[in-house]
Amino acid sequence: MTGKLVIVAGPSGSGKTTIVRHLLGVYPRLAFSISAASRKKREGEVDGEDYYFLSVEKFKEKIEKGDFLEWEEVYPGSYYGTMRTEVERLWNAGRDVIFDIDVKGAMNLKKHYPEQAITIFIQPPSLETLAQRLQKRKTETPEFFAQRIQKAAEEISYSSKFDKLIQNSDLEKAFKEAEGVVGEFLKVEK
Ligand code: 5GP
């Protein structure tokens, strides 16, 4: 059984996770694709809910076995990937799948499923705003913070490759816009 893929990407701090959560609340047929990740679990995160947390060794083993639909070393030493079994599990349950992944992963998934997928890029108002949001979030050490800002600039340069761009300067507006785009794609009412 297959279904649709709603692939959401955008820089860390763009609000994409908040928008994905909102969409999950609005469209019950959507289910979140839980990625595998080799980074450390943050406070409050739950293994098997936010991510399947794996060691780097285990992650590499899975790469070798061909378990991933796509994977990226998103930050040096931190691997993230979408497992085939995860997407199959959700499709078999009759759901469409929503992804919160990086820009390269988004492009790769779309290549696998060109007909069934929509890619949505969440655009932050500016790099300055992004930096302020990340600073407020305080989840990163200074070193990781710098990495995330650099990565954000790189990610923004990919935005033109996406099917839809959503500007997130006002979260309520971004919610409405995302609801419209996804509702149209899934062809369902809220
Ligand atoms: P974070 O560490 O903040 O949870 O996520 C870091 C980045 O990795 C985010 O841009 C997130 O969307 C991305 N990411 C999460 N899961 C995956 C995945 O399965 N594949 C890819 N390519 N990127 C992912």
Side-chain angles (χ1 to χ4, degrees):
M1 200 156 144
T2 70
K4 292 186 177 176
L5 303 89
V6 176
I7 306 166
V8 183
S12 191
S14 63
K16 74 181 155 160
T17 306
T18 313
I19 291 173
V20 166
R21 285 208 191 109
H22 175 77
L23 289 168
L24 282 163
V26 172
Y27 296 110
R29 61 172 300 102
L30 285 178
F32 182 64
S33 164
I34 304 167
S35 298
S38 77
R39 75 151 163 75
K40 270 204 228 123
K41 192 160 72 169
R42 291 186 193 131
E43 210 181 301
E45 285 183 327
V46 179
D47 188 23
E49 272 182 31
D50 298 284
Y51 285 107
Y52 299 111
F53 291 99
L54 303 178
S55 64
V56 174
E57 295 69 41
K58 187 82 200 161
F59 199 104
K60 288 188 173 166
E61 226 177 271
K62 284 185 158 296
I63 296 174
E64 289 301 310
K65 282 205 283 179
D67 288 353
F68 292 110
L69 269 177
E70 64 76 33
W71 63 271
E72 293 291 328
E73 187 177 359
V74 176
Y75 300 106
S78 293
Y79 295 82
Y80 296 79
T82 307
M83 287 186 285
R84 292 174 195 283
T85 49
E86 176 67 4
V87 177
E88 283 161 11
R89 174 178 80 83
L90 299 171
W91 279 347
N92 286 335
R95 313 285 288 278
D96 291 316
V97 184
I98 187 163
F99 301 78
D100 171 347
I101 64 179
D102 89 320
V103 289
K104 289 184 191 151
M107 297 293 108
N108 286 334
L109 271 188
K110 174 91 183 185
K111 260 190 231 146
H112 277 292
Y113 302 104
E115 306 298 325
Q116 290 152 261
I118 187 171
T119 52
I120 302 173
F121 188 86
I122 309 298
Q123 184 110 42
S126 66
L127 274 180
E128 289 76 43
T129 315
L130 204 71
Q132 282 163 8
R133 285 187 194 165
L134 279 178
Q135 237 151 12
K136 259 199 227 147
R137 204 162 83 176
K138 289 203 174 83
T139 50
E140 264 62 56
T141 61
E143 186 201 343
F144 285 112
F145 176 76
Q147 261 181 22
R148 277 176 190 252
I149 294 295
Q150 194 192 350
K151 167 94 180 162
E154 188 195 326
E155 295 212 285
I156 291 168
S157 71
Y158 276 82
S159 59
S160 62
K161 299 190 192 309
F162 279 70
D163 297 324
K164 299 280 176 190
L165 279 185
I166 294 178
Q167 174 83 26
N168 182 17
S169 8
D170 172 331
L171 193 57
E172 284 307 317
K173 271 197 201 146
F175 280 168
K176 287 285 160 253
E177 212 179 310
E179 283 175 29
V181 164
V182 172
E184 164 83 2
F185 174 69
L186 297 177
K187 301 262 182 315
V188 290
E189 302 291 321
K190 274 178 246 169

